[in-house]
Amino acid sequence: MTETVAVIGAGMAGLWTALALAPTGRKVTLLDRDPPPPPGDADEAFTGWAHRGVTHLRHSHAFLARLRGIIRDEHPALLEALNAAGCRELGLDGMLTERHRKRWRPRPEDADLVVLTSRRTTMELVIRRYVEAMPNVEIRSEAFVEGLDASGEAPLKVTGVRLRGGETVAADLVVDASGRTSSAFDQLADLGVQIGEAAEDAGILYFTRHYRLRPGQVEPPRGGAPATGDLGFIKFGVFPADNGCFSITLCVPEIELEIRKTIVDPAIFDGICREIPGMRPWLEPERTEAVSKVYGMGDLKSRWRTLVSEGRAAVLGFFAVGDSLIRTNPLYGRGCAFAAVSATLLRDALEAGRDPAGRLFAYEAGLKREILPFFETMQKDDRAAVRRARQALDPHHRPSLRSRILKSFAEDGVAIAIRSDPDLLRSAMRGFHMLEHPSDWLKRPVNLGKVLLHWMTPRAAKAEVYPPKAGPRRAELMRAVGLDPELDVSRVSAG
């Protein structure tokens, strides 16, 4: 008998669930709270898609190599459609410095280290149209899920969902892919389901503006001042996209009140960008024009939920993928990749057996194996960033000896080794792009030895490997755009 699957949400997590489950023969129904996308091209999707359920739809995205590899291996026709729509594939060779190129030797595994870049709306539009054409998938737009249907006692069995208007959609399996605003877990808690959850603030706010190259213009050449970086009080990045478009994202620590309350002003946003050398060429008036307002996003948290309690399944017939289950800081670009990997893990768990509890155990085990290491690394980095942001505003702070050693190891050892050795770059990128455990590359004796050798090399002997200065100091930048750099310093000192 064919299993039926009701998926709450038709954003990236819902679409990835369909991509994973539909080829197994299951009948998949995606229930989308929002209207369908406009019928036109990528530009019309960007300007006209009222996709309210996706709060970060128009923020910067880059789609990791792990995600692109799943598309390549399981849906090659989709990869062709994405490329035809203007999405770009950027390989490892595009990340090389001039120093790398002197020693660069391509390897077969480099074919796995390819990133997809586009506007989120373009990527999602193409995937949605591909999914809509799958024979056993239905996408129902403006189908707002108000509640879960369930029966039995511990463990509760979810048997379907209730839509606004009274309709019930029965299903053998219900998958919550409704994102960070999901209400399904609250409903389960109201029904007595014990849900494990660990969450903490990421400590930043996210601001994005979109631009387009003018006719006949090209992107600035790489290799000079970095177009992505961290100034301590602000993180920045340029994200090439599709069809001559790109976006810039500035991430501001929550503690930086003066910057965050003014940065939504396009003049302030662009003014900050022009003070950062690596981004200045991207905003040359003859090269580009702005095509959007400044989009802000707050309430950024990391969160890990589990439906296994004390070794027992807390609920049956219900799974979650994407942000409703595992929520991440978007700074690391792993949200869509986590959704894609989760959906494939769910498929594997469902295919492995029919026992409802066994399926949940298998799914949870896969998540802990494939995603948890990256999640924990992200949380560790977020905590460190929050500490640095507060310390930057504290005139009395003096870093400890341990902090100075760790900073030196990261900046004068790891970073310099990666910028010098293409094999180390390849290894580090495999960890970043979820092709292996994030810290495995540095644990290998040969790699650690190289890093230590670069670290012990006198700074003068490796001076040419250091990147150009990423940007001005905090006070200098703030004064340049008309802000008072002393207000938050005084507040932190007083507090």
Side-chain angles (χ1 to χ4, degrees):
M1 180 179 175
T2 300
E3 279 189 309
T4 57
V5 185
V7 181
I8 308 171
M12 290 293 279
L15 295 172
W16 273 104
T17 302
L19 288 170
L21 298 187
T24 68
R26 293 176 172 84
K27 178 174 171 40
V28 181
T29 302
L30 276 65
L31 303 166
D32 186 5
R33 57 175 283 182
D34 295 328
D41 61 9
D43 287 342
E44 291 183 62
F46 181 78
T47 58
W49 195 350
H51 208 355
R52 297 181 301 275
V54 183
T55 55
H56 46 292
L57 184 70
R58 291 176 177 84
H59 282 276
S60 298
H61 281 76
F63 304 98
L64 298 188
R66 178 74 178 273
L67 180 150
R68 185 258 182 188
I70 295 173
I71 298 176
R72 177 199 63 191
D73 297 342
E74 300 189 8
H75 298 279
L78 173 57
L79 185 58
E80 292 179 7
L82 289 166
N83 290 330
C87 298
R88 297 163 60 184
E89 296 184 271
L90 305 179
L92 183 63
D93 57 341
M95 306 177 194
L96 302 178
T97 65
E98 289 303 315
R99 191 179 183 90
H100 285 144
R101 294 187 187 281
K102 297 175 183 178
R103 303 169 56 190
W104 169 248
R105 296 292 183 273
R107 292 182 181 174
E109 61 264 32
D110 294 341
D112 295 331
L113 272 171
V114 178
V115 183
L116 277 171
T117 66
S118 77
R119 291 169 288 184
R120 162 72 178 255
T121 48
T122 303
M123 178 76 139
E124 194 162 320
L125 177 71
V126 175
I127 295 179
R128 181 173 176 127
R129 289 178 175 170
Y130 179 89
V131 167
E132 285 175 329
M134 299 178 83
N136 48 331
V137 175
E138 178 187 9
I139 301 181
R140 295 181 56 179
S141 297
E142 299 180 281
F144 192 97
V145 175
E146 286 195 326
L148 301 174
D149 258 13
S151 62
E153 299 180 358
L156 197 73
K157 166 69 173 175
V158 175
T159 57
V161 299
R162 298 187 306 278
L163 305 184
R164 179 175 293 171
E167 180 186 355
T168 295
V169 179
D172 298 310
L173 303 170
V174 171
V175 178
D176 179 19
S178 56
R180 63 178 189 157
T181 60
S182 167
S183 63
F185 281 86
D186 291 335
Q187 295 167 30
L188 288 173
D190 290 342
L191 292 169
V193 176
Q194 296 295 314
I195 297 165
E197 179 173 322
E200 58 188 74
D201 290 334
I204 65 167
L205 293 93
Y206 210 68
F207 300 92
T208 296
R209 196 177 193 200
H210 290 260
Y211 306 83
R212 185 188 293 275
L213 295 170
R214 296 185 185 277
Q217 295 293 318
V218 297
E219 295 174 353
R222 270 64 166 181
T228 299
D230 184 354
L231 302 181
F233 63 97
I234 197 167
K235 297 177 174 65
F236 62 92
V238 176
F239 292 77
D242 57 284
N243 298 297
C245 297
F246 66 93
S247 62
I248 292 175
T249 287
L250 302 178
C251 297
V252 181
E254 290 180 341
I255 200 170
E256 288 281 0
L257 297 181
E258 286 303 301
I259 296 178
R260 49 181 274 205
K261 74 183 184 183
T262 58
I263 201 170
V264 292
D265 180 341
I268 297 291
F269 186 95
D270 286 0
I272 290 173
C273 293
R274 290 193 175 99
E275 292 300 315
I276 299 174
M279 292 203 291
R280 192 177 301 132
W282 289 84
L283 296 187
E284 293 170 349
E286 65 275 15
R287 188 191 301 272
T288 64
E289 61 178 334
V291 295
S292 81
K293 66 178 184 178
V294 178
Y295 296 98
M297 183 167 60
D299 188 32
L300 300 179
K301 300 179 183 296
S302 60
R303 180 180 64 203
W304 184 282
R305 284 170 166 161
T306 176
L307 291 170
V308 173
S309 176
E310 297 180 350
R312 298 180 180 179
V315 63
L316 302 178
F318 176 90
F319 300 89
V321 298
D323 284 357
S324 63
L325 184 69
I326 303 170
R327 186 174 167 188
T328 62
N329 181 344
L331 176 67
Y332 305 96
R334 291 198 170 122
C336 290
F338 278 10
V341 172
S342 298
T344 59
L345 292 171
L346 176 58
R347 175 199 61 204
D348 294 345
L350 297 180
E351 290 292 279
R354 302 283 296 190
D355 175 62
R359 286 173 157 183
L360 182 59
F361 296 149
Y363 182 47
E364 291 266 338
L367 295 172
K368 290 179 179 179
R369 182 183 66 250
E370 298 291 331
I371 292 182
L372 186 59
F374 300 95
F375 180 85
E376 292 178 334
T377 298
M378 175 200 67
Q379 283 194 316
K380 180 180 177 182
D381 291 343
D382 281 348
R383 293 169 193 146
V386 170
R387 288 195 300 271
R388 288 196 301 271
R390 178 167 289 277
Q391 291 164 0
L393 293 176
D394 182 359
H396 306 295
H397 172 71
R398 298 293 181 269
S400 66
L401 175 61
R402 181 177 183 274
S403 295
R404 295 198 301 271
I405 291 173
L406 291 176
K407 184 174 186 290
S408 174
F409 179 69
E411 295 180 358
D412 304 315
V414 176
I416 294 303
I418 290 174
R419 286 182 60 84
S420 302
D421 189 320
D423 291 336
L424 287 181
L425 173 68
R426 178 185 286 113
S427 294
M429 287 298 99
R430 287 189 63 82
F432 180 83
H433 285 279
M434 299 178 62
L435 300 178
E436 60 181 53
H437 190 286
S439 61
D440 276 359
W441 75 276
L442 194 52
K443 294 178 181 178
R444 297 188 188 107
V446 63
N447 289 347
L448 181 58
K450 288 181 177 180
V451 169
L452 292 173
L453 181 61
H454 280 86
W455 189 29
M456 291 184 293
T457 300
R459 192 179 179 95
K462 56 189 178 185
E464 66 176 24
V465 190
Y466 286 89
K469 183 180 178 183
R473 295 182 180 275
R474 178 180 178 276
E476 179 185 349
L477 184 146
M478 291 185 72
R479 291 193 182 101
V481 296
L483 303 180
D484 186 346
E486 298 303 323
L487 292 178
D488 287 331
V489 172
S490 300
R491 179 177 53 81
V492 170
S493 298

